[in-house]
Amino acid sequence: MWTIWVIIFWISTVLIRAVPPVCDLLSVLKKEEENCAETLSLEAKNRTPEIDPLLSSGRCAGMWDNMSCWPSSTVGQTVNAHCPEFFQMLTGKKGFVYRNCTSEGWSDPYPRPDIACGYNVNDTTNEARRSYFMTLKTMYTVGYCTSLVTLTIALVVLVSFRRLRCTRNYIHMHLFTSFILRASSIFIKDAVLFSSEDTNYCRAYTAGCKLTMVFFQYCIMSNYSWLLVEGLYLHTLLVISFFLERKFLWWFIALGWGAPTVFVAAWATARQLHENIGCWDINTNANTWWIIRGPVVLSIFINFILFVNILRILMRKLSSPEGRSSDFNQYKRLAKSTLLLIPLFGVHYIIFAFFPEDASSGTMEIQLFFELALGSFQGFVVAVLYCFLNGEVQLEVQRKWRQWHLSKHLRQHLSTSASNGGSGLTQEMQMVRSSPPEHRRATLQRSSVL
């Protein structure tokens, strides 16, 4: 009965995990059951009628009760067992459960395992946390959907217009792609790992779970890598007057997509060799987890230093006589974007990176709110700043719209003139060809208004 309640609670905390919780629970339970079977088997081998008083004075046979292992005991003894390992994973607390060996067999465990190990199934605060996590899941689903749609539109816009193809926008495209991959990996992870409640798939799809986690970690790392590339490129523009942007672009691509490959491969190898537990969601070994976390924290820290230096350079340029000339508005826009991007580019990650991962603490809920709820809208903000509010993009879209509208009008005018014999359009086009440029533009504008 208590195992069922534990599974329900574990499922309620699925929102803060990255792999199937039920599979991890069953994996831990299976491992403890195997250890218990080995202990009881060894106990039986070492027991002989000559030295074992249990056989003559009555005993309670050793057993596995689906949660804890109870060794053989004589009548009248009280036996204690540590809280099951999965309880410790859930609550972060340690405790003991007791049973009495009576003439009728084992007594019921006391105190109740859930209370002894720090989780009360009747506590309303657990229901409140479950509701909070459900709200959090709704928020990050809406956020990632919004980011995915806006980023896709922004990427199509930058790719479609030839005049927007430059090194700066190429870097923006890679950044958009990394955010798209990040959002997609979230949905793929949820679809693959949480789509079924059937626990029979745990063994068959363990490799698939691990590959999904590897892909998820790569998307996260590549996203932070391209955020670092954005900071490096902006800093390079302000510090170096002339540099070969094409050459730097290839180095940026190697950093953005190549560096995460190295670290994720190292993390996957370390997990396979030293921490091959479940579907790689439980980070019990801090050293292994820092293979992923360390580079992310370092990239954010470098980005923060770069942005502080960028602001210093921008303030200096704005206060100089040269900065008050034609470049004033450009520097002002860069300063505003930088001030927005400093908190956007994950500075909060550094703050929470050194907090202990205790699911029972309040800091975990705050951290999840920043990383999942607010972090899911990062792609949307980046698309708005770098595309939809970009003056260059707006002008190009307006120019293409005017061209399309004018060509549509001319085609309609052509079809109308053809039905009337074509004389009106022919005369107007001849006037446009023979007129000066100013009169020609006025004629075309008058035609477009018509």
Side-chain angles (χ1 to χ4, degrees):
M1 179 65 180
W2 298 114
T3 306
I4 297 175
W5 280 110
V6 172
I7 293 176
I8 293 174
F9 174 67
W10 192 292
I11 292 175
S12 70
T13 59
V14 68
L15 304 173
I16 64 174
R17 297 292 181 180
V19 292
V22 177
C23 291
D24 293 325
L25 174 60
L26 294 180
S27 176
V28 171
L29 286 174
K30 186 66 176 177
K31 183 179 179 181
E32 289 194 332
E33 183 180 5
E34 292 174 354
N35 292 338
C36 182
E38 291 179 3
T39 301
L40 297 178
S41 176
L42 183 62
E43 180 185 274
K45 290 180 180 179
N46 295 333
R47 187 170 59 237
T48 62
E50 293 78 12
I51 64 175
D52 189 2
L54 296 177
L55 295 179
S56 57
S57 61
R59 68 187 180 92
C60 296
M63 69 171 185
W64 165 256
D65 66 354
N66 294 326
M67 292 183 65
S68 300
C69 187
W70 301 95
S72 300
S73 178
T74 57
V75 174
Q77 280 191 335
T78 298
V79 182
N80 64 70
H82 289 281
C83 281
E85 184 178 349
F86 56 82
F87 261 132
Q88 297 180 32
M89 295 176 186
L90 290 172
T91 64
K93 297 180 180 180
K94 297 181 179 180
F96 290 93
V97 182
Y98 301 88
R99 282 182 185 266
N100 293 325
C101 180
T102 68
S103 58
E104 297 180 355
W106 289 107
S107 67
D108 292 333
Y110 66 91
R112 278 185 0 205
D114 59 320
I115 297 177
C117 302
Y119 174 67
N120 185 0
V121 295
N122 297 321
D123 191 353
T124 57
T125 58
N126 293 315
E127 187 65 31
R129 292 192 73 194
R130 189 177 298 113
S131 176
Y132 172 77
F133 290 138
M134 291 300 296
T135 303
L136 200 64
K137 181 180 181 182
T138 303
M139 291 181 65
Y140 85 70
T141 301
V142 172
Y144 279 119
C145 285
T146 304
S147 297
L148 194 60
V149 172
T150 53
L151 286 165
T152 302
I153 296 174
L155 185 62
V156 170
V157 169
L158 292 184
V159 171
S160 300
F161 299 122
R162 184 173 300 176
R163 293 189 178 185
L164 298 178
R165 298 175 186 175
C166 60
T167 301
R168 181 184 69 256
N169 287 335
Y170 283 144
I171 294 176
H172 293 344
M173 293 177 195
H174 284 283
L175 179 64
F176 293 168
T177 304
S178 70
F179 271 107
I180 290 173
L181 287 175
R182 179 173 181 170
S184 300
S185 68
I186 294 291
F187 295 128
I188 292 173
K189 179 195 66 177
D190 289 350
V192 172
L193 306 180
F194 309 137
S195 59
S196 175
E197 297 181 357
D198 182 12
T199 58
N200 293 326
Y201 71 91
C202 294
R203 286 183 176 272
Y205 291 91
T206 299
C209 294
K210 294 175 182 178
L211 289 176
T212 302
M213 281 303 300
V214 170
F215 175 70
F216 172 76
Q217 297 294 353
Y218 175 78
C219 292
I220 297 296
M221 285 204 70
S222 62
N223 183 230
Y224 282 108
S225 295
W226 278 104
L227 291 173
L228 175 61
V229 169
E230 285 283 353
L232 288 172
Y233 178 73
L234 182 57
H235 188 267
T236 305
L237 281 179
L238 295 174
V239 173
I240 304 177
S241 301
F242 301 98
F243 67 97
L244 298 176
E245 294 192 2
R246 287 285 182 177
K247 182 180 179 180
F248 272 80
L249 178 61
W250 289 110
W251 286 107
F252 288 149
I253 292 175
L255 174 62
W257 299 118
T261 304
V262 175
F263 289 107
V264 171
W267 172 79
T269 303
R271 288 301 301 253
Q272 181 67 30
L273 296 178
H274 305 293
E275 199 182 355
N276 191 18
I277 301 174
C279 289
W280 295 358
D281 67 315
I282 303 174
N283 301 305
T284 56
N285 189 337
N287 295 329
T288 303
W289 178 229
W290 273 96
I291 297 176
I292 293 289
R293 176 176 287 186
V296 172
V297 172
L298 181 61
S299 67
I300 297 172
F301 184 71
I302 294 175
N303 238 351
F304 181 78
I305 295 176
L306 290 175
F307 286 146
V308 170
N309 194 43
I310 288 169
L311 286 178
R312 183 184 63 82
I313 296 173
L314 289 175
M315 292 300 103
R316 186 181 62 191
K317 289 183 177 292
L318 289 174
S319 61
S320 64
E322 294 80 3
R324 297 172 186 171
S325 60
S326 59
D327 295 333
F328 177 81
N329 290 331
Q330 178 184 359
Y331 291 140
K332 189 175 180 180
R333 286 195 301 270
L334 284 174
K336 289 181 178 180
S337 299
T338 304
L339 286 173
L340 288 173
L341 294 178
I342 285 178
L344 176 68
F345 282 7
V347 174
H348 67 276
Y349 191 97
I350 298 180
I351 299 174
F352 291 109
F354 300 97
F355 278 81
E357 292 188 350
D358 185 2
S360 62
S361 66
T363 56
M364 175 63 73
E365 297 180 0
I366 299 174
Q367 178 182 357
L368 292 174
F369 177 77
F370 277 97
E371 291 187 358
L372 294 179
L374 297 184
S376 62
F377 287 94
Q378 283 185 339
F380 168 75
V381 177
V382 167
V384 171
L385 287 177
Y386 283 153
C387 183
F388 302 128
L389 295 183
N390 189 318
E392 183 183 6
V393 174
Q394 292 176 350
L395 289 176
E396 185 64 17
V397 171
Q398 292 172 4
R399 188 181 69 86
K400 287 292 184 181
W401 171 258
R402 286 194 299 267
Q403 287 183 353
W404 176 82
H405 186 73
L406 180 60
S407 62
K408 179 182 177 181
H409 169 73
L410 291 177
R411 285 196 300 269
Q412 292 176 349
H413 203 24
L414 178 62
S415 61
T416 303
S417 300
S419 62
N420 295 331
S423 58
L425 180 64
T426 303
Q427 293 177 0
E428 184 172 353
M429 295 302 294
Q430 288 178 352
M431 291 175 60
V432 170
R433 292 193 189 96
S434 60
S435 61
E438 293 79 5
H439 182 66
R440 189 181 309 167
R441 282 194 295 269
T443 304
L444 290 176
Q445 290 177 359
R446 188 177 66 256
S447 300
S448 63
V449 171
L450 295 174

